[in-house]
Amino acid sequence: MKINNPYFNIGLALIIAVFSLAIFGLTGLLTIIIIFLFFILPFYLILRKTNLQRDEKIFLPFFIGIGLFSTIAYYLAFPLNSIKISAVVTFILLIIIGLVLNYYLKKPDDSHNHN
Amino acid sequence: MKSKHIHILMITILYLFTIFTWTQPIRTNEIPFGQVDASSHFTVADYTSSYDQPIIYLPKYIYYRYGLDNTYKENTLWYHPPYHLNLALMQSFTNSRFLSFYIFIAILCSLIVLINYFIIDKWYGFWPAFLSSILVAFAGRNVLVYLFGQWPERISYFFTPIIIYLFYMYFINYNKKEEKTIYMYLLAVLLAINLLLHPMGFFHSVAALAIIYLFLAIKQKKIFIVNLKTLFLPIIIFLIIIAIFPYQTGNVIKSFQGSPSVEGTQGDFSRLFSWFKKPDNLGGVPEIYFSFADMNGLWIIPLILLGIIFLALRRKTQDIFMLGWIVSLYIVIHADVIGKGPFVHRSLAASNMVFAPLAAIGLLAIISFIPLKKPVKDYAKYALIIIFIALALIFNILPSINMLNTFYESPLSRLNQPQFEVSQWLTENTLESAVILDMGTSSLAKKRWMQYISQRHFNGINIEELEQGIPNTHVIYDYSDVVIIGDRNTFDQLVSNEQQNFNNSQPAYNRENIRVYQIEN
């Protein structure tokens, strides 16, 4: 499944955002943004330079995120004494890890990566 | 626009429509819904977000009901924390106690639509993927369990196809001598997360992996079909992740060791000849849950059988994976026959995600069984697709939408507005140590919801041995349900009790058929 057309992807994101806002109001939009920021984006960055297929790198992060993001945030919340702060710190930490991995790892050979 | 883009647009529209219909109970009414245990999922997340603190030991008002549920370490969380923490994060960062909670629940409980599409599209192409996604989106049992509130179990079941897919990707690459260890690492991570979300799904995934492995080993006539050296690190990763929460993982292990079947069907070998026979004792589960016709539609049975025959005859690698999956599910669902697997009826809720793709594959297999030439073949294919969608609309989509629209319509099926308001009043106007006696509220589920929305201990509705001898500080006289029911007897009893005990007292709260009195100790 090739989904590498940026205009199409932006259009899709807009449809989801407008839907969330129209049906659930600001809470709906915020919920979608939180899902994207906490559960998808960090793990997408971490998987980006692996030799997974491109669509797998978009599809799988959420399922890793709902397990690992909250696990890290749970334990960080004890020293930080706040779930909210620990979630933000977890987000920053994971983004840094993702960016570092992106910087140092070579681009994977994409020739076998499409169906 | 390329056809792939159209396909993605179609599945996006289907999923947004699913979310729209699934959130009906909360879009039209902000009052939380769910049966008795649903409130426990709410309260763990709610406490975490409202106090901005993670839970190790249970707060008192949760302890009285769930303090013994962790058999490994009493008074600790009985589920692994991630699921509820995710919900708490939604509540905290959206500043919405109920709506964001339920939006996220609806997303998690219906994610199988996208998971199914992603995997089946890769294995069998767009139409089997799209058609089966329609079926899983509106499968009666998926909707029913979601409405009931066994939420963590839902997403945990959905991990099984993802784990199967990762094993498939590892296997086909390894077989081509192009081993991609990343799939095995991810498999280990997701299998561990599967356990953290709910152990039921984890056991399904392990059973599926075992049976698929067996099928592949038989097909390849060798015992080791994976690189054993590759397994070492993934196993370590898996163990580390599940060891992160020792109390909860300990609880899973202890519960698993000491959990014989509670279905009372041990030795009933006639069970083996049906997918699931309705038990004599329904154990609080509605009868409709056990009806294949109501939950899936009888029309899919011939298609499922056709799908199985087609895959068994063709036996491509993905076919072996599909067949292994359904065989593993059959074994899990019948484990009670040998006295294993407590609550096997709950595994029924994982059936549709196997049935749906098999039915869609079966439908399109019809074309391959009949020798037709090119243009006729295409017409026949689209005719079958239209018939499939029409049948799904009649037997699956409309009944499920009706269930979503009407399940919590009655003010007796979930808290009514006065009960919701008094619960919130209790939080703001009583001490955390308050102990409430609730008289008049019509169901245990409602009392539990009031307990957890108020974050106060309601006496007499939890574990008796833990609650014994605790004096009440407040009494609620709740006439709101008896007025709706028109139950004169209960109404008179409540009035008489109230007059007898609080004749000269001023209620601390007096609104819309509900009064709260503080007891002078």
Side-chain angles (χ1 to χ4, degrees):
Chain A
M1 199 195 306
K2 279 188 195 177
I3 36 176
N4 50 0
N5 179 338
Y7 298 112
F8 180 77
N9 295 346
I10 290 167
L12 210 59
L14 271 178
I15 290 173
I16 295 168
V18 169
F19 169 87
S20 313
L21 191 64
I23 306 297
F24 306 111
L26 195 60
T27 303
L29 183 62
L30 279 175
T31 305
I32 298 301
I33 292 171
I34 296 298
I35 289 172
F36 176 74
L37 288 180
F38 286 175
F39 304 138
I40 297 175
L41 182 64
F43 297 95
Y44 168 75
L45 286 176
I46 289 168
L47 292 181
R48 194 164 162 257
K49 292 280 179 85
T50 61
N51 56 358
L52 290 171
Q53 292 175 5
R54 194 172 288 142
D55 53 359
E56 291 169 344
K57 291 175 195 172
I58 296 167
F59 173 72
L60 291 170
F62 176 80
F63 302 99
I64 304 168
I66 57 170
L68 295 192
F69 185 93
S70 38
T71 296
I72 299 166
Y74 177 82
Y75 277 106
L76 281 180
F78 292 105
L80 296 171
N81 202 26
S82 160
I83 281 289
K84 270 178 124 167
I85 296 171
S86 79
V88 173
V89 172
T90 304
F91 171 73
I92 294 167
L93 271 177
L94 288 170
I95 292 291
I96 291 170
I97 292 170
L99 291 175
V100 169
L101 285 174
N102 273 276
Y103 185 77
Y104 284 106
L105 291 179
K106 276 195 302 183
K107 200 173 177 221
D109 175 11
D110 243 13
S111 56
H112 302 293
N113 278 355
H114 307 306
N115 270 359
Chain B
M1 200 188 282
K2 287 177 187 171
S3 67
K4 269 294 171 200
H5 290 148
I6 294 169
H7 294 168
I8 291 169
L9 211 55
M10 282 172 75
I11 191 68
T12 305
I13 290 167
L14 173 67
Y15 189 58
L16 294 181
F17 180 63
T18 308
I19 292 293
F20 178 75
T21 51
W22 279 51
T23 49
Q24 200 281 343
I26 198 73
R27 271 191 291 111
T28 50
N29 185 347
E30 64 164 339
I31 297 171
F33 69 83
Q35 296 303 303
V36 181
D37 281 341
S39 58
S40 73
H41 300 306
F42 169 78
T43 198
V44 173
D46 183 53
Y47 179 88
T48 307
S49 62
S50 54
Y51 287 82
D52 197 26
Q53 291 295 321
I55 298 177
I56 293 186
Y57 296 103
L58 301 178
K60 279 286 177 201
Y61 70 95
I62 302 178
Y63 165 77
Y64 287 117
R65 168 57 192 88
Y66 293 96
L68 305 181
D69 273 38
N70 189 328
T71 53
Y72 179 76
K73 177 84 175 167
E74 196 177 305
N75 192 23
T76 57
L77 281 177
W78 59 109
Y79 282 112
H80 292 84
Y83 184 86
H84 300 98
L85 191 72
N86 291 335
L87 292 166
L89 292 177
M90 292 302 144
Q91 293 173 311
S92 294
F93 282 90
T94 60
N95 207 17
S96 150
R97 195 177 176 198
F98 302 107
L99 184 58
S100 64
F101 176 90
Y102 276 98
I103 295 171
F104 194 47
I105 288 273
I107 289 171
L108 291 173
C109 287
S110 58
L111 258 182
I112 188 63
V113 175
L114 298 181
I115 295 168
N116 174 79
Y117 179 80
F118 182 84
I119 296 169
I120 302 301
D121 179 51
K122 278 174 174 281
W123 285 357
Y124 299 100
F126 172 72
W127 281 113
F130 186 71
L131 295 177
S132 50
S133 284
I134 293 175
L135 282 190
V136 291
F138 297 100
R141 217 171 265 132
N142 291 359
V143 171
L144 194 63
V145 177
Y146 157 72
L147 288 171
F148 256 67
Q150 284 153 352
W151 299 313
E153 191 182 274
R154 295 271 73 217
I155 182 68
S156 177
Y157 282 149
F158 301 160
F159 268 58
T160 303
I162 304 172
I163 285 162
I164 291 173
Y165 170 79
L166 290 171
F167 183 46
Y168 167 84
M169 290 305 291
Y170 173 81
F171 177 77
I172 54 161
N173 284 298
Y174 179 65
N175 242 12
K176 285 190 291 187
K177 310 274 183 256
E178 291 171 13
E179 185 182 21
K180 287 187 177 176
T181 52
I182 180 80
Y183 289 108
M184 199 49 95
Y185 290 120
L186 284 178
L187 194 155
V189 170
L190 289 186
L191 196 60
I193 293 172
N194 200 180
L195 181 70
L196 302 190
L197 295 175
H198 198 285
M200 289 284 283
F202 169 77
F203 292 124
H204 279 231
S205 300
V206 171
L209 286 178
I211 298 298
I212 290 166
Y213 188 98
L214 184 71
F215 280 13
L216 293 171
I218 291 169
K219 192 184 178 201
Q220 295 206 335
K221 296 190 182 73
K222 56 183 181 184
I223 296 171
F224 301 115
I225 55 165
V226 296
N227 184 356
L228 289 182
K229 284 182 210 156
T230 304
L231 290 183
F232 179 72
L233 263 179
I235 288 172
I236 299 292
I237 291 170
F238 171 80
L239 291 175
I240 288 172
I241 296 176
I242 66 164
I244 289 174
F245 299 108
Y247 295 160
Q248 287 72 32
T249 301
N251 184 35
V252 172
I253 294 167
K254 215 170 159 195
S255 306
F256 184 65
Q257 283 170 342
S259 293
S261 166
V262 293
E263 312 282 329
T265 42
Q266 185 171 357
D268 177 6
F269 290 99
S270 68
R271 279 260 295 109
L272 298 176
F273 301 102
S274 62
W275 185 254
F276 200 91
K277 241 166 65 176
K278 191 179 81 184
D280 297 330
N281 176 11
L282 298 179
V285 181
E287 196 167 347
I288 193 177
Y289 177 84
F290 297 100
S291 160
F292 190 97
D294 289 320
M295 296 290 98
N296 301 290
L298 291 175
W299 67 279
I300 69 166
I301 291 179
L303 296 179
I304 293 171
L305 294 174
L306 265 177
I308 292 172
I309 292 167
F310 175 75
L311 298 185
L313 290 173
R314 203 175 69 152
R315 293 194 301 281
K316 278 190 175 181
T317 307
Q318 62 266 46
D319 304 339
I320 304 282
F321 275 70
M322 284 299 297
L323 292 170
W325 184 14
I326 193 167
V327 169
S328 72
L329 190 58
Y330 172 86
I331 291 169
V332 171
I333 285 177
H334 294 82
D336 56 316
V337 175
I338 53 164
K340 296 285 176 196
F343 312 117
V344 286
H345 68 269
R346 290 174 73 163
S347 296
L348 265 185
S351 302
N352 186 269
M353 59 186 189
V354 195
F355 291 158
L358 284 173
I361 292 164
L363 176 92
L364 295 166
I366 294 172
I367 305 290
S368 63
F369 288 137
I370 306 167
L372 292 170
K373 293 225 161 108
K374 193 60 178 140
V376 184
K377 199 171 185 169
D378 283 345
Y379 299 144
K381 180 179 148 186
Y382 287 109
L384 284 175
I385 287 168
I386 290 168
I387 293 168
F388 187 100
I389 292 173
L391 290 170
L393 186 70
I394 296 164
F395 295 106
N396 303 80
I397 300 173
L398 294 177
S400 288
I401 290 177
N402 184 50
M403 185 152 60
L404 285 156
N405 288 347
T406 57
F407 201 83
Y408 285 109
E409 209 175 31
S410 157
L412 295 172
S413 58
R414 69 207 272 188
L415 294 184
N416 56 45
Q417 194 65 32
Q419 289 166 336
F420 184 54
E421 282 171 15
V422 74
S423 307
Q424 292 175 312
W425 179 87
L426 287 168
T427 322
E428 288 157 16
N429 296 283
T430 61
L431 297 173
E432 278 178 41
S433 57
V435 180
I436 322 284
L437 178 68
D438 178 356
M439 298 179 74
T441 306
S442 64
S443 69
L444 176 65
K446 280 188 168 211
K447 288 184 180 185
R448 287 271 176 79
W449 272 110
M450 288 170 77
Q451 172 169 258
Y452 294 136
I453 290 172
S454 65
Q455 300 185 332
R456 299 292 179 265
H457 172 209
F458 275 43
N459 220 351
I461 59 164
N462 301 289
I463 300 172
E464 211 180 321
E465 59 186 280
L466 299 182
E467 287 186 312
Q468 259 174 7
I470 299 173
N472 302 313
T473 60
H474 294 76
V475 179
I476 296 179
Y477 286 94
D478 177 2
Y479 295 90
S480 62
D481 280 340
V482 286
V483 167
I484 294 166
I485 301 166
D487 181 353
R488 189 78 222 177
N489 250 351
T490 311
F491 184 86
D492 290 343
Q493 279 171 16
L494 276 177
V495 170
S496 141
N497 186 300
E498 187 180 349
Q499 283 174 349
Q500 201 177 331
N501 292 306
F502 297 99
N503 202 19
N504 298 318
S505 310
Q506 197 64 15
Y509 178 96
N510 185 3
R511 258 184 256 165
E512 295 179 274
N513 291 324
I514 297 181
R515 283 188 282 281
V516 180
Y517 293 94
Q518 186 163 0
I519 299 173
E520 307 292 338
N521 287 320

